[in-house]
Amino acid sequence: MANASIAMSGLSIAESEVPVRQDLQDTHRDAWSRIASPGTWLTSERRLAVAAEIRQARDHCAFCREVKAALSPNAARGTHATLGALSAPEIELIHRTVTDPGRLSEKWSQSVLDAGLTDGEYVEIVGLIAMVMMLDTCTMGLGIPDQPLPLPIAGEPARYRPPGARKNAAWLPIVEPADAIDEDGPMYPSPKAGYIYRGLSMVPQSLRDYWAMANCHYLPGQYVYQFDRSIRAISRPQTEIIAARVSALHQCAY
Amino acid sequence: MMLRASAKHTNEAIDLHDVSAGLTDGTKVAHAPLLVAFAEAVVARDSDRIRTARKAIRNAMGDAALVDAAATAAAFHGFTRIADAIGIPYKTAAGGQDAPDVREAAGVNAFYRVQEEMAGR
């Protein structure tokens, strides 16, 4: 364990050949620090094993490429090429969510849970996938290679389950804004926060970690429906055409 | 859909079909060909295409635009995975403003998850 190692991570975006706005640099540094910290259900070592497996799935799993190319995601038979540090349901969750997210189903999601992953672990891992994919994609777009993973930070998982978490609208439990309590910590900028905002709410810390990043890469919530202005160096329609095309290529119906 | 709503404010034409099928002359957002080429290259993780697209954006729009294009493309590598792995109901997208005809025009109804739902699976 070495907190000092975190100071070395998150800096690679600052080494871009183009100047990167300071808030984005800070966000990357903070996000890697959060990924290396104990989570709600996962230790810091396990969270970093998840991060490593995300890259393994994305870059090195031949079976994932077969699944992706198959007419049906259930048609391919084989095993994932893994780093060997995680359980079978963790591997399945990571590999499928990283490489073929548009063809997941509630039945598949339930099969991952039935194989031995708790719903809290599932949601925390999804949050890590979203964060690592965002971090690595941003740096790749700027021409920067993946930075080495940081070392784990000491500590214990919080093991906090929001009492308001219920399975209703989504495949996994979520905390509706009206059911959030003070002990959950800050979660929603507004009682009208959209369902995408509620997605990780069963693990409030994951929600906070993720949205601290997402707001800085896309737009803070208060600007999302202000279509007549842009706070970025590209116009709002330019932002949205990138967003729409990336989502469509992922076959994301949301 | 956020794209359509934002383009209304700039009076730029949008062909929703381009969202799924790829850019055509029906979409008139400034520098859209450069930005879409960049987004497609990033999703494909094709380093040569990314390098070419990055250079084109820098030349035409500047360094800050490249940073925000990369950040936006990256953000939607996260959003999509949360929506799809948690099973967020897609009909709530864009604050529930995505009407069925918009989804049809954008090609979203052909996506796996919608097809599975329509088939009752």
Side-chain angles (χ1 to χ4, degrees):
Chain A
M1 308 278 181
N3 288 358
S5 69
I6 298 304
M8 296 303 294
S9 63
L11 296 180
S12 69
I13 194 167
E15 297 158 8
S16 167
E17 65 187 51
V18 298
V20 176
R21 51 186 161 88
Q22 189 62 47
D23 63 330
L24 195 57
Q25 292 185 42
D26 294 345
T27 289
H28 276 235
R29 183 197 61 232
D30 293 347
W32 280 117
S33 177
R34 287 300 313 150
I35 289 167
S37 298
T40 298
W41 301 104
L42 277 61
T43 63
S44 50
E45 290 85 354
R46 198 165 155 210
R47 286 165 64 86
L48 287 166
V50 169
E53 194 66 42
I54 290 165
R55 289 176 169 176
Q56 169 72 12
R58 190 189 66 204
D59 299 336
H60 302 298
C61 182
F63 179 56
C64 279
R65 285 195 289 274
E66 279 183 46
V67 172
K68 178 81 173 169
L71 197 57
S72 163
N74 305 314
R77 291 286 175 266
T79 55
H80 294 295
T82 85
L83 296 172
L86 298 168
S87 68
E90 287 172 313
I91 295 297
E92 175 67 8
L93 174 59
I94 293 165
H95 281 241
R96 286 291 307 282
T97 303
V98 168
T99 63
D100 198 13
R103 299 198 299 173
L104 305 181
S105 66
E106 185 168 16
K107 185 176 175 184
W108 168 85
S109 166
Q110 190 58 51
S111 75
V112 170
L113 294 168
D114 291 345
L117 211 57
T118 69
D119 48 11
E121 291 168 328
Y122 183 118
V123 171
E124 185 168 335
I125 289 170
V126 170
L128 289 169
I129 292 169
M131 290 178 73
V132 172
M133 289 302 297
M134 197 187 310
L135 289 161
D136 283 355
T137 302
C138 187
T139 49
M140 179 184 68
L142 294 172
I144 303 164
D146 289 345
Q147 64 178 346
L149 295 177
L151 293 175
I153 295 173
E156 290 298 316
R159 299 187 179 87
Y160 175 78
R161 185 183 180 94
R166 292 180 185 83
K167 186 176 175 187
N168 187 8
W171 301 340
L172 275 291
I174 58 176
V175 181
E176 298 287 358
D179 295 328
I181 61 173
D182 289 347
E183 287 73 14
D184 297 341
M187 283 208 287
Y188 298 122
S190 155
K192 295 181 180 177
Y195 269 96
I196 188 66
Y197 215 105
R198 305 175 204 182
L200 299 174
S201 58
M202 203 201 141
V203 182
Q205 188 58 54
S206 292
L207 180 150
R208 286 188 283 275
D209 292 345
Y210 175 76
W211 283 98
M213 282 187 68
N215 290 343
C216 186
H217 284 74
Y218 176 51
L219 294 169
Q222 68 268 33
Y223 296 108
V224 169
Y225 290 102
Q226 293 188 31
F227 295 112
D228 58 343
R229 63 182 296 192
S230 174
I231 61 166
R232 302 300 185 212
I234 54 178
S235 73
R236 189 62 194 276
Q238 289 172 333
T239 299
E240 296 303 333
I241 204 164
I242 294 170
R245 189 66 183 133
V246 169
S247 296
L249 289 169
H250 282 85
Q251 291 232 347
C252 182
Y254 191 89
Chain B
M1 172 165 287
M2 312 299 256
L3 173 58
R4 190 176 64 162
S6 61
K8 274 184 184 174
H9 283 277
T10 53
N11 291 317
E12 290 172 299
I14 296 291
D15 184 342
L16 286 177
H17 187 64
D18 293 1
V19 169
S20 292
L23 198 63
T24 68
D25 289 343
T27 295
K28 302 291 188 188
V29 173
H31 298 302
L34 304 182
L35 297 167
V36 170
F38 179 72
E40 292 172 348
V42 165
V43 172
R45 300 184 62 77
D46 184 325
S47 55
D48 289 339
R49 284 167 55 200
I50 294 171
R51 191 178 305 113
T52 300
R54 189 165 55 231
K55 186 175 177 184
I57 292 173
R58 287 184 75 182
N59 288 341
M61 302 173 69
D63 290 349
L66 171 64
V67 170
D68 285 336
T72 300
F76 283 81
H77 281 68
F79 290 134
T80 51
R81 285 168 174 86
I82 291 175
D84 288 332
I86 302 294
I88 301 296
Y90 64 83
K91 290 176 183 174
T92 65
Q97 297 172 44
D98 278 3
D101 60 321
V102 173
R103 282 198 294 273
E104 182 64 32
V108 173
N109 286 342
F111 290 175
Y112 179 87
R113 186 163 162 200
V114 179
Q115 290 291 309
E116 288 287 291
E117 187 173 300
M118 289 168 69
R121 289 191 285 263

Coordinates of all heavy atoms in Angstrom, one line a residue, chain A residues 5-11 13 22-39 44 47-48 51 54-55 124 127-136 138-139 147-153 205-217:
Chain A
S5 N 1.9 6.7 -4.3 CA 1.9 6.3 -5.7 C 0.7 7.0 -6.5 O 0.8 7.1 -7.7 CB 1.7 4.8 -5.9 OG 0.4 4.4 -5.4
I6 N -0.3 7.3 -5.7 CA -1.4 8.0 -6.4 C -1.0 9.3 -7.0 O -1.5 9.7 -8.0 CB -2.6 8.2 -5.4 CG1 -3.0 6.9 -4.8 CG2 -3.7 9.0 -6.0 CD1 -3.5 5.9 -5.9
A7 N 0.0 9.9 -6.3 CA 0.4 11.2 -6.9 C 1.0 11.1 -8.3 O 1.0 12.0 -9.1 CB 1.5 11.8 -6.0
M8 N 1.4 9.8 -8.6 CA 2.0 9.6 -9.9 C 0.9 9.3 -11.0 O 1.2 9.3 -12.2 CB 3.0 8.4 -9.9 CG 4.2 8.7 -9.0 SD 5.1 10.2 -9.5 CE 5.7 9.6 -11.1
S9 N -0.3 8.9 -10.5 CA -1.3 8.6 -11.5 C -2.2 9.8 -11.7 O -2.3 10.7 -10.9 CB -2.2 7.4 -11.0 OG -2.8 7.8 -9.8
G10 N -2.9 9.8 -12.9 CA -3.8 10.9 -13.2 C -3.0 12.0 -13.8 O -3.6 13.0 -14.2
L11 N -1.7 11.9 -13.9 CA -0.9 13.0 -14.4 C -0.7 12.9 -16.0 O -0.4 13.9 -16.6 CB 0.4 13.1 -13.8 CG 0.4 13.4 -12.3 CD1 1.9 13.4 -11.7 CD2 -0.2 14.7 -12.0
I13 N -2.7 12.8 -18.4 CA -3.4 13.7 -19.3 C -2.8 15.1 -19.4 O -2.9 15.8 -20.3 CB -4.9 13.8 -18.8 CG1 -5.8 14.5 -19.9 CG2 -5.0 14.6 -17.5 CD1 -7.2 14.3 -19.7
Q22 N -7.7 22.6 -16.8 CA -7.3 22.2 -15.5 C -8.3 21.3 -14.8 O -7.9 20.4 -14.1 CB -6.9 23.4 -14.6 CG -6.2 23.1 -13.3 CD -4.9 22.4 -13.5 OE1 -4.1 22.9 -14.3 NE2 -4.6 21.3 -12.9
D23 N -9.6 21.6 -14.9 CA -10.6 20.8 -14.2 C -10.6 19.4 -14.7 O -10.8 18.4 -14.0 CB -12.0 21.5 -14.3 CG -12.5 21.5 -15.7 OD1 -11.7 21.7 -16.7 OD2 -13.7 21.5 -15.9
L24 N -10.3 19.2 -16.0 CA -10.2 17.8 -16.5 C -9.0 17.1 -16.0 O -9.0 15.9 -15.7 CB -10.2 17.9 -18.1 CG -10.5 16.6 -18.8 CD1 -11.9 16.0 -18.4 CD2 -10.5 16.8 -20.3
Q25 N -7.9 17.8 -15.9 CA -6.7 17.2 -15.3 C -7.0 16.8 -13.9 O -6.6 15.7 -13.5 CB -5.5 18.2 -15.4 CG -5.0 18.5 -16.7 CD -3.7 19.4 -16.6 OE1 -2.9 19.2 -15.8 NE2 -3.7 20.4 -17.5
D26 N -7.6 17.7 -13.1 CA -7.9 17.4 -11.7 C -8.8 16.2 -11.6 O -8.7 15.4 -10.7 CB -8.5 18.6 -11.1 CG -7.5 19.8 -11.0 OD1 -6.3 19.6 -11.2 OD2 -8.0 20.9 -10.8
T27 N -9.8 16.2 -12.5 CA -10.8 15.1 -12.4 C -10.1 13.7 -12.7 O -10.4 12.7 -12.0 CB -11.9 15.3 -13.5 OG1 -12.7 16.4 -13.0 CG2 -12.8 14.1 -13.7
H28 N -9.2 13.7 -13.6 CA -8.5 12.4 -13.9 C -7.7 12.0 -12.7 O -7.7 10.8 -12.3 CB -7.7 12.5 -15.1 CG -8.4 12.3 -16.4 ND1 -8.1 11.4 -17.4 CD2 -9.6 12.9 -16.9 CE1 -8.9 11.4 -18.4 NE2 -9.8 12.3 -18.1
R29 N -7.0 12.9 -12.1 CA -6.2 12.6 -10.9 C -7.0 12.1 -9.8 O -6.8 11.1 -9.2 CB -5.4 13.9 -10.5 CG -4.5 13.6 -9.3 CD -4.1 14.9 -8.6 NE -5.2 15.6 -8.1 CZ -5.6 16.9 -8.4 NH1 -4.8 17.6 -9.1 NH2 -6.7 17.4 -7.9
D30 N -8.1 12.8 -9.5 CA -9.0 12.4 -8.4 C -9.7 11.1 -8.7 O -9.9 10.3 -7.8 CB -10.1 13.5 -8.2 CG -9.5 14.8 -7.7 OD1 -8.4 14.8 -7.3 OD2 -10.3 15.8 -7.8
A31 N -10.1 10.8 -10.0 CA -10.8 9.6 -10.3 C -9.8 8.4 -10.1 O -10.3 7.4 -9.5 CB -11.2 9.6 -11.7
W32 N -8.6 8.5 -10.5 CA -7.7 7.3 -10.3 C -7.5 7.1 -8.8 O -7.3 6.0 -8.3 CB -6.4 7.6 -11.0 CG -6.5 7.2 -12.5 CD1 -6.3 8.1 -13.5 CD2 -6.8 6.0 -13.0 NE1 -6.5 7.4 -14.7 CE2 -6.8 6.1 -14.4 CE3 -7.1 4.7 -12.5 CZ2 -7.1 5.1 -15.3 CZ3 -7.3 3.6 -13.4 CH2 -7.3 3.8 -14.8
S33 N -7.4 8.2 -8.0 CA -7.3 8.1 -6.6 C -8.5 7.3 -6.0 O -8.4 6.5 -5.1 CB -7.1 9.4 -5.9 OG -7.0 9.3 -4.5
R34 N -9.7 7.7 -6.4 CA -10.9 7.0 -5.9 C -10.9 5.6 -6.3 O -11.3 4.7 -5.6 CB -12.2 7.7 -6.5 CG -12.4 9.1 -5.9 CD -12.7 9.0 -4.4 NE -13.6 7.9 -4.1 CZ -13.5 7.2 -2.9 NH1 -12.7 7.4 -2.0 NH2 -14.4 6.2 -2.8
I35 N -10.5 5.3 -7.6 CA -10.5 3.9 -8.0 C -9.6 3.0 -7.2 O -9.9 1.9 -6.8 CB -10.1 3.8 -9.5 CG1 -11.2 4.4 -10.4 CG2 -9.8 2.4 -9.9 CD1 -10.8 4.7 -11.8
A36 N -8.5 3.6 -6.7 CA -7.5 2.9 -5.9 C -7.9 2.9 -4.4 O -7.1 2.3 -3.6 CB -6.1 3.6 -6.1
S37 N -9.0 3.5 -4.1 CA -9.4 3.5 -2.6 C -10.4 2.4 -2.3 O -11.0 1.9 -3.3 CB -10.0 4.9 -2.3 OG -9.1 5.9 -2.5
P38 N -10.5 2.0 -1.1 CA -11.5 1.0 -0.7 C -12.9 1.6 -1.2 O -13.2 2.8 -1.0 CB -11.5 1.0 0.8 CG -10.1 1.5 1.1 CD -9.8 2.5 0.1
G39 N -13.7 0.6 -1.7 CA -15.1 1.0 -2.1 C -16.1 0.8 -1.1 O -15.8 0.8 0.1
S44 N -9.7 -2.1 -2.0 CA -9.0 -1.3 -3.0 C -8.2 -2.3 -4.0 O -8.1 -2.1 -5.2 CB -8.0 -0.4 -2.4 OG -7.2 -1.0 -1.4
R47 N -10.8 -3.6 -6.4 CA -11.1 -2.5 -7.4 C -10.1 -2.4 -8.5 O -10.4 -2.2 -9.6 CB -11.4 -1.2 -6.6 CG -12.7 -1.2 -5.8 CD -12.7 -0.1 -4.8 NE -12.7 1.2 -5.4 CZ -13.8 1.9 -5.8 NH1 -15.0 1.3 -5.7 NH2 -13.7 3.1 -6.3
L48 N -8.8 -2.5 -8.1 CA -7.7 -2.3 -9.1 C -7.6 -3.6 -9.9 O -7.3 -3.5 -11.1 CB -6.4 -2.0 -8.4 CG -6.3 -0.6 -7.8 CD1 -5.2 -0.4 -6.9 CD2 -6.2 0.4 -9.0
A51 N -10.1 -2.9 -12.5 CA -9.6 -2.0 -13.5 C -8.7 -2.7 -14.5 O -8.7 -2.5 -15.7 CB -8.9 -0.8 -12.8
I54 N -10.7 -4.8 -16.8 CA -11.4 -4.0 -17.9 C -10.5 -3.8 -19.1 O -10.9 -4.0 -20.2 CB -11.8 -2.6 -17.3 CG1 -12.9 -2.8 -16.2 CG2 -12.2 -1.6 -18.3 CD1 -13.1 -1.6 -15.3
R55 N -9.3 -3.5 -18.8 CA -8.3 -3.3 -19.9 C -8.1 -4.7 -20.6 O -7.9 -4.7 -21.9 CB -7.0 -2.7 -19.4 CG -7.2 -1.3 -19.0 CD -5.9 -0.7 -18.4 NE -6.0 0.8 -18.2 CZ -5.1 1.5 -17.7 NH1 -4.0 0.9 -17.2 NH2 -5.2 2.8 -17.6
E124 N -21.2 -1.6 -8.0 CA -19.9 -1.0 -7.8 C -19.0 -1.3 -9.0 O -18.2 -0.4 -9.5 CB -19.3 -1.4 -6.5 CG -17.9 -0.7 -6.2 CD -17.4 -0.9 -4.8 OE1 -18.3 -1.2 -3.9 OE2 -16.2 -0.8 -4.6
G127 N -19.9 0.8 -12.0 CA -19.3 2.1 -11.8 C -17.9 2.2 -12.1 O -17.4 3.2 -12.8
L128 N -17.1 1.2 -11.7 CA -15.7 1.2 -12.1 C -15.5 1.1 -13.6 O -14.6 1.7 -14.2 CB -15.0 0.0 -11.3 CG -14.8 0.2 -9.8 CD1 -14.4 -1.1 -9.2 CD2 -13.8 1.4 -9.5
I129 N -16.3 0.2 -14.2 CA -16.2 0.1 -15.7 C -16.4 1.4 -16.4 O -15.6 1.8 -17.2 CB -17.2 -1.0 -16.2 CG1 -16.8 -2.4 -15.7 CG2 -17.2 -1.0 -17.7 CD1 -17.9 -3.4 -15.9
A130 N -17.5 2.1 -15.9 CA -17.8 3.4 -16.6 C -16.7 4.4 -16.4 O -16.3 5.1 -17.3 CB -19.1 3.9 -16.0
M131 N -16.1 4.4 -15.2 CA -15.0 5.3 -14.9 C -13.7 5.0 -15.7 O -13.1 5.9 -16.3 CB -14.7 5.3 -13.4 CG -15.7 5.9 -12.5 SD -15.4 5.9 -10.8 CE -14.1 7.2 -10.6
V132 N -13.3 3.8 -15.7 CA -12.1 3.4 -16.4 C -12.2 3.6 -17.9 O -11.3 4.1 -18.6 CB -11.6 2.0 -16.0 CG1 -10.4 1.5 -16.9 CG2 -11.3 1.9 -14.6
M133 N -13.4 3.2 -18.4 CA -13.6 3.4 -19.9 C -13.6 4.9 -20.2 O -13.0 5.3 -21.3 CB -14.9 2.8 -20.3 CG -14.9 1.2 -20.3 SD -13.7 0.5 -21.3 CE -14.2 1.1 -23.0
M134 N -14.1 5.7 -19.4 CA -14.1 7.1 -19.6 C -12.7 7.7 -19.6 O -12.3 8.4 -20.4 CB -15.0 7.9 -18.6 CG -15.4 9.3 -19.1 SD -16.3 10.3 -17.9 CE -17.6 9.2 -17.4
L135 N -12.0 7.3 -18.5 CA -10.6 7.8 -18.4 C -9.7 7.4 -19.5 O -9.0 8.2 -20.1 CB -10.0 7.3 -17.1 CG -10.6 7.9 -15.8 CD1 -10.3 7.0 -14.6 CD2 -10.0 9.3 -15.5
D136 N -9.7 6.1 -19.8 CA -8.8 5.6 -20.9 C -9.2 6.1 -22.3 O -8.4 6.3 -23.1 CB -8.8 4.1 -20.8 CG -8.0 3.5 -19.7 OD1 -7.3 4.3 -19.0 OD2 -8.0 2.3 -19.5
C138 N -10.7 8.9 -23.0 CA -10.3 10.4 -23.1 C -8.8 10.5 -23.4 O -8.5 11.2 -24.3 CB -10.7 11.1 -21.8 SG -10.4 12.9 -21.9
T139 N -8.0 9.8 -22.7 CA -6.6 9.9 -22.9 C -6.2 9.3 -24.3 O -5.4 9.9 -25.0 CB -5.7 9.2 -21.8 OG1 -6.2 7.9 -21.6 CG2 -5.8 10.0 -20.6
Q147 N -2.2 4.9 -18.8 CA -1.2 5.1 -17.7 C -1.2 3.8 -16.8 O -2.2 3.1 -16.8 CB -1.5 6.3 -16.9 CG -2.8 6.2 -16.1 CD -3.0 7.4 -15.3 OE1 -2.1 8.2 -15.1 NE2 -4.2 7.6 -14.8
P148 N -0.1 3.5 -16.2 CA -0.1 2.3 -15.3 C -1.1 2.5 -14.2 O -1.4 3.7 -13.8 CB 1.3 2.4 -14.7 CG 2.1 3.2 -15.6 CD 1.2 4.2 -16.3
L149 N -1.7 1.4 -13.7 CA -2.6 1.5 -12.6 C -1.9 1.9 -11.3 O -0.8 1.5 -11.1 CB -3.4 0.2 -12.4 CG -4.2 -0.3 -13.5 CD1 -4.8 -1.7 -13.2 CD2 -5.4 0.7 -13.8
P150 N -2.6 2.7 -10.5 CA -2.0 3.1 -9.2 C -1.9 1.9 -8.2 O -2.5 0.9 -8.5 CB -2.9 4.2 -8.7 CG -4.2 3.9 -9.3 CD -3.9 3.3 -10.7
L151 N -1.2 2.1 -7.2 CA -1.2 1.1 -6.1 C -2.4 1.3 -5.2 O -3.0 2.4 -5.1 CB 0.1 1.3 -5.3 CG 1.4 0.9 -6.0 CD1 2.6 1.2 -5.1 CD2 1.4 -0.5 -6.4
P152 N -2.8 0.2 -4.5 CA -4.0 0.4 -3.7 C -3.8 1.2 -2.5 O -2.7 1.2 -1.9 CB -4.3 -1.1 -3.3 CG -3.1 -1.8 -3.5 CD -2.3 -1.1 -4.6
I153 N -4.8 1.9 -2.0 CA -4.8 2.7 -0.8 C -5.4 1.9 0.3 O -6.5 1.3 0.1 CB -5.6 4.0 -1.0 CG1 -4.9 4.9 -2.1 CG2 -5.7 4.8 0.3 CD1 -5.6 6.1 -2.5
Q205 N -21.5 6.1 -3.0 CA -20.1 6.6 -3.3 C -19.8 6.4 -4.7 O -19.1 7.2 -5.3 CB -19.1 5.9 -2.4 CG -17.7 6.5 -2.4 CD -17.7 7.9 -2.1 OE1 -18.2 8.3 -1.0 NE2 -17.1 8.8 -2.9
S206 N -20.2 5.3 -5.3 CA -19.9 5.0 -6.8 C -20.6 6.1 -7.6 O -20.1 6.6 -8.6 CB -20.4 3.6 -7.2 OG -19.5 2.7 -6.6
L207 N -21.8 6.4 -7.2 CA -22.6 7.5 -7.9 C -21.8 8.8 -7.9 O -21.6 9.4 -8.9 CB -24.0 7.6 -7.3 CG -24.9 8.7 -7.9 CD1 -26.4 8.3 -7.8 CD2 -24.7 10.0 -7.3
R208 N -21.4 9.1 -6.7 CA -20.6 10.4 -6.5 C -19.3 10.4 -7.3 O -19.0 11.4 -8.0 CB -20.3 10.7 -5.1 CG -21.6 11.1 -4.3 CD -21.2 11.6 -2.9 NE -20.9 10.5 -1.9 CZ -21.9 9.8 -1.3 NH1 -23.1 10.1 -1.4 NH2 -21.5 8.8 -0.5
D209 N -18.6 9.3 -7.2 CA -17.3 9.2 -8.0 C -17.5 9.3 -9.5 O -16.8 10.0 -10.2 CB -16.6 7.9 -7.7 CG -16.1 7.8 -6.2 OD1 -16.1 8.8 -5.5 OD2 -15.8 6.6 -5.8
Y210 N -18.5 8.6 -9.9 CA -18.8 8.6 -11.4 C -19.2 10.0 -11.9 O -18.7 10.5 -12.9 CB -19.8 7.6 -11.8 CG -20.2 7.7 -13.2 CD1 -19.3 7.2 -14.2 CD2 -21.3 8.3 -13.7 CE1 -19.5 7.3 -15.5 CE2 -21.6 8.5 -15.0 CZ -20.7 8.0 -15.9 OH -20.9 8.1 -17.3
W211 N -20.2 10.6 -11.2 CA -20.7 11.9 -11.7 C -19.7 13.1 -11.5 O -19.8 14.0 -12.3 CB -22.1 12.2 -11.1 CG -23.1 11.3 -11.7 CD1 -23.6 10.1 -11.3 CD2 -23.7 11.5 -13.0 NE1 -24.5 9.6 -12.3 CE2 -24.5 10.4 -13.3 CE3 -23.6 12.5 -14.0 CZ2 -25.2 10.3 -14.5 CZ3 -24.3 12.4 -15.2 CH2 -25.1 11.3 -15.4
A212 N -18.8 13.0 -10.6 CA -17.8 14.0 -10.5 C -17.0 14.0 -11.8 O -16.6 15.1 -12.3 CB -16.9 13.7 -9.3
M213 N -16.8 12.8 -12.4 CA -16.1 12.7 -13.6 C -16.9 13.1 -14.8 O -16.5 13.8 -15.7 CB -15.7 11.2 -13.9 CG -14.5 10.7 -13.2 SD -14.2 9.1 -13.8 CE -13.7 9.5 -15.5
A214 N -18.1 12.5 -14.8 CA -19.0 12.7 -16.0 C -19.4 14.2 -16.2 O -19.4 14.6 -17.4 CB -20.3 11.8 -15.8
N215 N -19.6 14.9 -15.1 CA -20.0 16.3 -15.3 C -18.8 17.1 -15.9 O -19.1 18.1 -16.6 CB -20.3 16.9 -13.9 CG -21.6 16.4 -13.3 OD1 -22.4 15.8 -14.0 ND2 -21.7 16.5 -12.0
C216 N -17.6 16.7 -15.6 CA -16.5 17.4 -16.2 C -16.2 17.0 -17.6 O -15.7 17.8 -18.4 CB -15.2 17.1 -15.3 SG -13.8 18.0 -15.7
H217 N -16.5 15.8 -18.0 CA -16.2 15.3 -19.4 C -17.4 15.8 -20.3 O -17.1 16.2 -21.4 CB -16.1 13.8 -19.4 CG -14.8 13.3 -18.9 ND1 -14.5 13.3 -17.6 CD2 -13.7 12.8 -19.6 CE1 -13.2 12.8 -17.5 NE2 -12.8 12.5 -18.6

